[in-house]
Amino acid sequence: MHGKLDAPPLDAVLGSASAVAAGRLAGDGPAGQLPLTPDMLREEPSGNVFGLTQNVGMGWSPAALDGPQYVIVSTHGGLRSEDGSPVALGYHTGHWEIGLLVRAAAETLRAAGAIPFAAYCSDPCDGRTQGTTGMFDSLPYRNDAAVVMRRLIRSLPTASGVMGVATCDKGLPATMLALAGCGELPGVIVPGGVTLPAVGSEDAGQVQSLGARFARDLVSLDYAATMGCRACGSAGGGCQFLGTAATSQVVAEALGLALPHSALAPSGEPVWLELGARSAFALVRLHALGIPIKRILTQHALENAMLVHAAFGGSTNLLLHIPAIAHAAGLRPPTLDDWIRVNRATPRLVDALPNGPRGHPTVQVFMAGGVPEVMLHLRRMGLLHGDVLTATGDTLDATLDWWEASERRRAARARLAAAAAVAPDDVIMGPDAARGAGLTSTVVFPVGNLAPEGAVIKATALDPAVVGDDQIYRHRGPARVFVDERDAIRAVKGATERPIRPGDVIVLIGTGPSGTGMQETAQITTALRYLPWGKHVALLTDGRFSGFSSGACVGHIGPEALHGGPIGRVRDDDLIEIVIDRGTLAGSVDLVGAAGQPLDAAACAALLGQRSPHPGLAPHPALPADTRLWAALQRASGGTWAGCVYDVDRIVAALEAGLHLTKERT
């Protein structure tokens, strides 16, 4: 796709004599004196004194070293000129502008007499790596980044508080994990906001289906090139839909870690720019009030976040991240029964992309009131724990009381109605209006002979046209089995001898943690969403989906195929039956026949027990060693249903047992 530049001359590589001749060999040290005392020199670690030396060495005034120190850790990426133009690109718009938030927070802290520190651990783009081997590093990155961020935070042992600034699919969950693991410190999350929709253009999710639509002769080359160019209405922010990035922002605020009405703010706009200063003031306030993260991130806060996730119709990837946040905070992770109970308690209240029915972009959800507006409805339903503390330093109830009567709320909702001609109550609805509009509960956990340990489907994103009047989705069709996502997308695009057709059930195996690092399959699900007949195709996988995915997509199927999961024994033209009840939140995923012929349950069980795994089933040959290690560690820690975490005690116990067994054998 990309060509090569001409080779520069060797002289440009080797360097010049003039640069050497002009170099200094010594310089004047900073003027002044460190504010040392005899007790400091006698009692404090040498690192504390050396840290002061480093501070003034970087230009900080020796006279301004007495304030509290706060560390700001962010996922900022790229290099911008002063006018905002790129010097070096970031990987995605989500981390491109958040350096502005870091700067605003740091300037606010400095003006208040504090000493801000900034550290960086940038993040990848799940959209950029879709369909590539880069996706094999996506979910493992989350754990690695959380470890790095926690190490950075702990490496400033004099810090009095921490701020995390992040936006997207893995960077923001990693940042929440990092702060959750630093519970003794006061802390605030700053969600990095969303991209504006582009006028007269497709959004950043829809354009990911251009290849499939072009291959099926649904769009022209000119249209694809134009729409692909125009998708981003602003230079910064996460994608315009309620995918994993936006859902993670919502969850950060729902946990109480982010300020009220901060999730989904439009990047670069005044309401976004103020977040840096607001959050800096909040951090100082939390420190002054003696409120550390562990007093905010409680079991009740976790349940509030699960309720808000359900009410928004959020990404199923948060079923991996919320348990991981709980684990990092030392809380009890939610069980399957907890998720079912929470999702039965509330229907989806938010009409946002990709769920519909109208599909409002996330900036409109923000202007309709965002998280606090949804929480008002949940409080009226008697579901929220209002006594939890939030990043304001006050209780959630007090925050929602402020929001309900605030001028900010009135201004935001009025702006949406005036500028977009959208009624706020059509974006964020009460429960009766939501049910009347056909919005159902978010997540169903199907089981069956192909998913004995369970699976996940975002039932609220099923196309209404394929759901019965009884709110049950039923699909029976022939299996089309793939062990490589590239082959599956070629079949969806019609580029194979046997292309995917309406009624088929795509079975994508070997895409769990041990095969591909649990890659996303968004290029397939997005293609099916925008192909006219895609709603009549189902997808089963032991991998996972983008938060943008919609339709009959069943993922997280356990056990994964490479560890004995029966999904790994399916063959082409087996009959698969999927039943999803959006009313009771029950579902099933079963093999019901072979070679196109129906079989009874006992025969199907016997068949799955006798068959060997699919002959092509194997870890992807390009799976990095780093990801293989991640897969083994998270498997020893409870696997995907535990959040793909590192449970140190379980890992150590497994290693010691293995070492003991190895010693006995030798």
Short mmCIF file of all heavy atoms in Angstrom, two decimals, residues 22 50 121 123 245 251 253 268 288 292 317 343 360 397 411 430 455 504 520-521 639:
data_model
loop_
_atom_site.label_atom_id
_atom_site.label_comp_id
_atom_site.label_asym_id
_atom_site.label_seq_id
_atom_site.Cartn_x
_atom_site.Cartn_y
_atom_site.Cartn_z
N ALA A 22 30.92 22.77 17.90
CA ALA A 22 30.12 23.80 18.57
C ALA A 22 29.60 23.36 19.93
O ALA A 22 28.99 24.16 20.64
CB ALA A 22 28.93 24.17 17.68
N PHE A 50 17.80 13.86 45.99
CA PHE A 50 18.18 13.85 44.58
C PHE A 50 17.02 14.28 43.69
O PHE A 50 17.21 14.93 42.67
CB PHE A 50 18.66 12.45 44.17
CG PHE A 50 19.14 12.38 42.75
CD1 PHE A 50 20.32 13.00 42.36
CD2 PHE A 50 18.41 11.70 41.78
CE1 PHE A 50 20.76 12.95 41.05
CE2 PHE A 50 18.84 11.63 40.47
CZ PHE A 50 20.02 12.26 40.10
N CYS A 121 2.29 6.83 28.81
CA CYS A 121 2.29 5.44 28.35
C CYS A 121 1.22 5.37 27.27
O CYS A 121 0.04 5.16 27.56
CB CYS A 121 1.99 4.47 29.49
SG CYS A 121 1.97 2.74 28.99
N ASP A 123 -1.07 4.48 23.75
CA ASP A 123 -1.89 3.29 23.50
C ASP A 123 -2.10 3.05 22.01
O ASP A 123 -2.00 3.96 21.20
CB ASP A 123 -3.24 3.40 24.22
CG ASP A 123 -4.02 4.65 23.87
OD1 ASP A 123 -3.45 5.59 23.31
OD2 ASP A 123 -5.22 4.69 24.18
N ALA A 245 -14.40 2.55 23.65
CA ALA A 245 -13.80 3.80 24.13
C ALA A 245 -14.82 4.65 24.87
O ALA A 245 -14.60 5.07 26.01
CB ALA A 245 -13.22 4.58 22.94
N VAL A 251 -18.11 4.46 32.08
CA VAL A 251 -17.86 3.66 33.27
C VAL A 251 -16.95 4.40 34.25
O VAL A 251 -17.16 4.34 35.47
CB VAL A 251 -17.29 2.28 32.87
CG1 VAL A 251 -16.66 1.56 34.07
CG2 VAL A 251 -18.38 1.43 32.25
N GLU A 253 -16.81 7.57 34.76
CA GLU A 253 -17.64 8.54 35.48
C GLU A 253 -18.61 7.84 36.42
O GLU A 253 -18.84 8.29 37.55
CB GLU A 253 -18.39 9.42 34.49
CG GLU A 253 -19.15 10.55 35.15
CD GLU A 253 -19.82 11.50 34.18
OE1 GLU A 253 -19.33 11.65 33.04
OE2 GLU A 253 -20.85 12.10 34.57
N GLY A 268 -11.52 19.08 22.14
CA GLY A 268 -11.12 20.37 21.59
C GLY A 268 -12.08 21.50 21.84
O GLY A 268 -11.72 22.67 21.66
N ALA A 288 -7.03 17.45 50.05
CA ALA A 288 -7.30 18.27 51.24
C ALA A 288 -8.33 17.60 52.15
O ALA A 288 -8.23 17.70 53.39
CB ALA A 288 -7.80 19.65 50.81
N PRO A 292 -8.94 9.10 49.60
CA PRO A 292 -8.16 8.35 48.61
C PRO A 292 -9.09 7.57 47.67
O PRO A 292 -10.30 7.45 47.89
CB PRO A 292 -7.34 7.40 49.48
CG PRO A 292 -8.22 7.13 50.66
CD PRO A 292 -8.99 8.41 50.90
N ASN A 317 -17.06 -5.43 25.76
CA ASN A 317 -15.68 -5.51 26.22
C ASN A 317 -15.54 -5.08 27.67
O ASN A 317 -14.57 -5.44 28.34
CB ASN A 317 -14.77 -4.64 25.34
CG ASN A 317 -14.38 -5.34 24.06
OD1 ASN A 317 -14.12 -6.53 24.05
ND2 ASN A 317 -14.35 -4.60 22.96
N ASN A 343 -28.67 -6.42 34.54
CA ASN A 343 -29.26 -6.19 33.23
C ASN A 343 -30.78 -6.43 33.22
O ASN A 343 -31.48 -5.87 32.38
CB ASN A 343 -28.57 -7.06 32.18
CG ASN A 343 -27.28 -6.43 31.68
OD1 ASN A 343 -27.28 -5.65 30.74
ND2 ASN A 343 -26.17 -6.73 32.35
N HIS A 360 -27.91 8.07 17.83
CA HIS A 360 -27.31 9.40 17.98
C HIS A 360 -25.81 9.29 18.22
O HIS A 360 -25.35 8.38 18.95
CB HIS A 360 -27.96 10.14 19.14
CG HIS A 360 -29.42 10.39 18.95
ND1 HIS A 360 -29.91 11.45 18.22
CD2 HIS A 360 -30.51 9.69 19.37
CE1 HIS A 360 -31.23 11.41 18.20
NE2 HIS A 360 -31.63 10.36 18.89
N ASP A 397 -25.40 11.27 45.56
CA ASP A 397 -26.70 11.92 45.71
C ASP A 397 -26.57 13.44 45.65
O ASP A 397 -27.36 14.11 44.98
CB ASP A 397 -27.35 11.51 47.04
CG ASP A 397 -28.19 10.25 46.91
OD1 ASP A 397 -28.65 9.95 45.79
OD2 ASP A 397 -28.39 9.56 47.93
N ALA A 411 -28.37 24.30 30.00
CA ALA A 411 -27.65 24.83 28.84
C ALA A 411 -27.30 23.73 27.85
O ALA A 411 -27.42 23.91 26.63
CB ALA A 411 -26.39 25.55 29.30
N GLY A 430 -36.58 7.93 29.90
CA GLY A 430 -37.00 7.24 31.11
C GLY A 430 -37.34 5.80 30.77
O GLY A 430 -37.49 5.44 29.60
N ALA A 455 -21.27 -17.51 27.11
CA ALA A 455 -20.93 -16.63 25.99
C ALA A 455 -21.61 -15.30 26.25
O ALA A 455 -22.32 -15.12 27.25
CB ALA A 455 -21.41 -17.25 24.67
N ASP A 504 -26.45 -18.12 6.88
CA ASP A 504 -25.24 -18.80 7.37
C ASP A 504 -24.94 -18.42 8.81
O ASP A 504 -25.32 -17.34 9.30
CB ASP A 504 -24.04 -18.44 6.50
CG ASP A 504 -24.06 -19.11 5.13
OD1 ASP A 504 -24.86 -20.04 4.95
OD2 ASP A 504 -23.27 -18.70 4.26
N GLU A 520 -10.26 -8.82 18.38
CA GLU A 520 -11.58 -8.36 17.97
C GLU A 520 -11.83 -8.79 16.52
O GLU A 520 -10.90 -8.93 15.73
CB GLU A 520 -11.67 -6.83 18.04
CG GLU A 520 -11.79 -6.28 19.43
CD GLU A 520 -12.03 -4.79 19.42
OE1 GLU A 520 -11.96 -4.15 18.35
OE2 GLU A 520 -12.28 -4.25 20.50
N THR A 521 -13.10 -8.95 16.21
CA THR A 521 -13.49 -9.33 14.85
C THR A 521 -14.37 -8.24 14.24
O THR A 521 -15.37 -8.52 13.58
CB THR A 521 -14.23 -10.67 14.85
OG1 THR A 521 -15.38 -10.58 15.71
CG2 THR A 521 -13.33 -11.79 15.36
N GLY A 639 -9.02 -16.70 33.56
CA GLY A 639 -9.44 -16.55 32.18
C GLY A 639 -10.32 -15.34 31.92
O GLY A 639 -10.39 -14.39 32.71
#
